[in-house]
Amino acid sequence: MLRVIAVVGAGAMGKGIAQISAQAGFQVLLFDVNTAAAEKARADICLQWDKMQDKGKLSPHLCSAAKSKLRVVDTLSGLASSDLVIEAIIENLDVKRDLFAQLDEVVSEHCILATNTSSLSVTSIAAKTRLPQRVAGLHFFNPVPLMKVVEVIHGLRTDTAVISQLRIFVQETGHTPVLAKDTPGFIVNHAGRAYVTEALKILQENVADVSVIDQIMRSAGFKLGPFELMDLTGLDVSHPVMEAIYQQYYQEPRYRPSQIAAQRLQAGLLGRKSGEGFYSYPTTPDLSPTIPESVDARWHIPIWISRQDTEAHALLSAFFAHCDMPLDTSTSPSEHALCIVTPFGEDVSTCVVREGLDARRTVGVDTMFASDVSMTVMLNPATDAHLAQQLKRNLSEFNCIVHLIQDSVGFVAQRIIASIVNVACDMSQQAVCSPADLDLAVVLGLAYPDGPLSWGDKLGASRILLVLRNMLDSTGDPRYRPSPWLVRRVQLGLSLLQQAQDAKN
């Protein structure tokens, strides 16, 4: 049973881990090479408990008890009585290895050594220790008291009993443990790659500007757009993680970083912390869409909707009828009709050629993420821009915000979310973690509107697969190749959360 918890490192992460551990009733020893920093951290934690007591979130008895449980020690030897040591120091492999070698000489053989690393291999950290079977990963997220998910990472030589004890410890702190194999990025940092890397690819292709991409992804259900998120995290944090996962997976195309982020990092455009990133601060980014001021007073052009997808055709027909906009219901569009195509993973230009349409009067609509209040309309290089602006203005009269973008495979939301689901499927294929833990970790750790596997099921796994295959065929970019996990479950009509049955001898 774990009774005495040591925390090495009194920065933001160490301070948070010490706080929740003492609150849970564990005896906590806090150590930092800078004893003054450790003392200040303890004072900050006690102040936080006082504030919680004032707000009624912590009783006077529990506040006093927590304070009595937290003690600063000024030497590593002071950690000798520990049952668990959690390292929360600089993200440097050599420095962590040195610390673990020193701890080897201080603590008992029954003491568990855990690293809070977010990007380094737990197996590599454990390799130089005397007892690598007692070393595991225990990855908390910042701010620790508020972020309720903790990744419990099984190194190659970690004893399963150690993992069991760590799971119980995490639960006793009021947090939720998710189990992961020792792989690059573990669960959350791995699963979150596609959201930002695909957005950067879209920006690189000049499909839409930063604010429009963020608006579209907010409309799809995300609390922050990808560029807002990078500004909040800071490119000095997010870009090195992108590069580390890409390199650790030996240049796997799904995780390819962007030169846009690398260049902005070199320029010091880090985000909120530097006062300027993809947006300027301290002002709040204006993500309200622009509405054209002068267009024809009333829409009078007939709208012809492609029948390539019957579900999409029915959805848009009902929507435009509701907006009192005339429909061209003929098999082929009339000479003056606005032609609307509804591609999944393809661009508008491809649809124009395949269906023999007038490119000047053709746009695409993303029906995968369309609603009565938000719609992405994609132009092709020949589209009449005035016509597109007129459509945008008219729909705004019906409280529908239209996001205009340039021709692209998969629009914006389609390609980002299909990529997110695909990465999650491949993580499941690699058995990085269970499908259920993957979804839980992403919802708790990244605040996504749903777990990627559940989301794939809701959107339709077969449709996600269609988007990926069409993007792969159109671009030849292997970043879009579908995961075998996705392909097989679509073939068999299974949920993406469905694990394979264990083989029995």
Side-chain angles (χ1 to χ4, degrees):
M1 180 181 291
L2 305 180
R3 293 186 178 87
V4 181
I5 311 299
V7 179
V8 179
M13 296 303 296
K15 188 161 60 174
I17 296 167
Q19 177 184 330
I20 65 167
S21 299
Q23 273 179 224
F26 293 97
Q27 180 67 50
V28 178
L29 307 176
L30 180 59
F31 171 79
D32 194 283
V33 290
N34 183 343
T35 304
E39 293 287 1
K40 183 180 184 305
R42 186 185 186 283
D44 290 343
I45 294 169
C46 290
L47 180 60
Q48 182 62 31
W49 283 329
D50 288 338
K51 290 179 179 178
M52 292 172 68
Q53 179 181 317
D54 292 342
K55 294 178 181 178
K57 295 181 179 180
L58 199 65
S59 70
H61 171 71
L62 289 178
C63 181
S64 176
K67 290 178 180 178
S68 70
K69 294 287 186 181
L70 179 58
R71 182 163 62 90
V72 170
V73 297
D74 55 10
T75 63
L76 275 180
S77 60
L79 307 180
S81 63
S82 304
D83 299 310
L84 165 64
V85 179
I86 304 172
E87 164 271 309
I89 63 172
I90 187 172
E91 196 75 344
N92 179 287
L93 180 59
D94 291 335
V95 175
K96 289 182 188 291
R97 279 178 166 176
D98 288 345
L99 171 62
F100 275 60
Q102 293 176 62
L103 290 170
D104 254 349
E105 304 302 320
V106 170
V107 299
S108 72
E109 292 188 358
H110 302 292
C111 178
I112 297 171
L113 302 182
T115 173
N116 186 54
T117 183
S118 61
S119 61
L120 300 175
S121 166
V122 173
T123 301
S124 295
I125 293 170
K128 300 296 184 181
T129 63
R130 184 165 48 88
L131 299 170
Q133 64 270 24
R134 68 166 169 186
V135 179
L138 202 58
H139 181 213
F140 293 81
F141 293 84
N142 192 31
V144 175
L146 300 180
M147 298 293 286
K148 296 298 185 178
V149 65
V150 182
E151 294 174 328
V152 181
I153 300 120
H154 198 299
L156 202 57
R157 299 184 66 180
T158 306
D159 193 309
T160 54
V162 166
I163 298 299
S164 297
Q165 290 185 77
L166 290 177
R167 285 186 68 180
I168 293 170
F169 164 71
V170 170
Q171 290 169 340
E172 289 180 341
T173 65
H175 283 46
T176 301
V178 289
L179 303 188
K181 285 201 310 190
D182 185 19
T183 51
F186 311 129
I187 304 176
V188 174
N189 280 331
H190 188 166
R193 289 309 87 220
Y195 189 51
V196 292
T197 55
E198 200 58 37
L200 286 162
K201 187 76 165 65
I202 291 167
L203 182 65
Q204 178 185 329
E205 293 174 11
N206 199 35
V207 174
D209 65 25
V210 164
S211 63
V212 171
I213 295 170
D214 277 352
Q215 289 166 24
I216 291 171
M217 297 317 295
R218 276 175 168 264
S219 296
F222 290 85
K223 291 183 178 179
L224 293 176
F227 298 101
E228 289 181 282
L229 179 62
M230 283 186 277
D231 272 4
L232 178 64
T233 306
L235 276 183
D236 56 331
V237 174
S238 57
H239 184 68
V241 172
M242 291 184 228
E243 289 192 326
I245 291 177
Y246 180 63
Q247 295 301 335
Q248 287 176 62
Y249 269 107
Y250 294 98
Q251 294 82 50
E252 162 57 56
R254 290 192 183 100
Y255 313 127
R256 189 185 306 130
S258 169
Q259 71 270 24
I260 291 176
Q263 186 180 52
R264 297 178 77 85
L265 175 59
Q266 292 167 357
L269 301 173
L270 308 181
R272 290 179 178 272
K273 65 180 66 176
S274 65
E276 186 176 4
F278 291 101
Y279 300 98
S280 295
Y281 299 92
T283 56
T284 303
D286 181 10
L287 294 180
S288 56
T290 57
I291 297 174
E293 295 180 0
S294 58
V295 292
D296 294 348
R298 180 174 173 78
W299 183 270
H300 58 275
I301 302 168
I303 294 176
W304 180 88
I305 304 167
S306 170
R307 288 178 168 79
Q308 290 286 310
D309 187 283
T310 54
E311 185 179 336
H313 178 272
L315 180 92
L316 289 185
S317 295
F319 173 75
F320 286 116
H322 170 73
C323 295
D324 197 27
M325 299 170 75
L327 294 175
D328 180 347
T329 59
S330 56
T331 304
S332 299
S334 62
E335 181 181 354
H336 301 293
L338 170 67
C339 302
I340 293 182
V341 293
T342 57
F344 293 95
E346 294 181 314
D347 56 18
V348 175
S349 298
T350 298
C351 298
V352 165
V353 174
R354 182 174 57 236
E355 300 191 46
L357 304 174
D358 181 353
R360 295 169 301 173
R361 306 183 68 80
T362 302
V363 298
V365 171
D366 182 2
T367 55
M368 201 167 181
F369 294 96
S371 70
D372 291 344
V373 297
S374 177
M375 182 179 292
T376 298
V377 174
M378 186 159 64
L379 287 61
N380 71 74
T383 300
D384 182 336
H386 175 76
L387 189 61
Q389 291 288 340
Q390 185 177 347
L391 176 66
K392 178 175 181 176
R393 177 64 188 181
N394 191 268
L395 290 181
S396 73
E397 298 295 330
F398 292 89
N399 298 315
C400 180
I401 300 299
V402 172
H403 308 289
L404 295 180
I405 66 171
Q406 298 303 314
D407 218 359
S408 162
V409 295
F411 293 91
V412 170
Q414 272 187 28
R415 69 192 279 185
I416 290 178
I417 293 174
S419 297
I420 289 171
V421 173
N422 198 38
V423 166
C425 286
D426 219 48
M427 290 174 66
S428 299
Q429 185 65 45
Q430 296 174 44
V432 170
C433 58
S434 72
D437 270 5
L438 192 156
D439 268 14
L440 181 61
V442 167
V443 170
L444 294 179
L446 296 174
Y448 280 11
D450 211 336
L453 298 173
S454 298
W455 211 355
D457 281 342
K458 290 176 182 177
L459 292 172
S462 59
R463 185 141 282 175
I464 294 290
L465 180 57
L466 176 64
V467 169
L468 290 166
R469 282 177 167 165
N470 283 340
M471 290 196 296
L472 178 62
D473 289 345
S474 297
T475 65
D477 191 335
R479 72 194 287 134
Y480 302 121
R481 71 191 190 284
S483 165
W485 182 278
L486 172 62
V487 174
R488 290 172 185 139
R489 277 149 187 77
V490 169
Q491 289 173 333
L492 299 175
L494 299 176
S495 163
L496 296 182
L497 289 161
Q498 176 67 50
Q499 291 182 273
Q501 297 297 313
D502 290 334
K504 302 295 184 182
N505 292 330

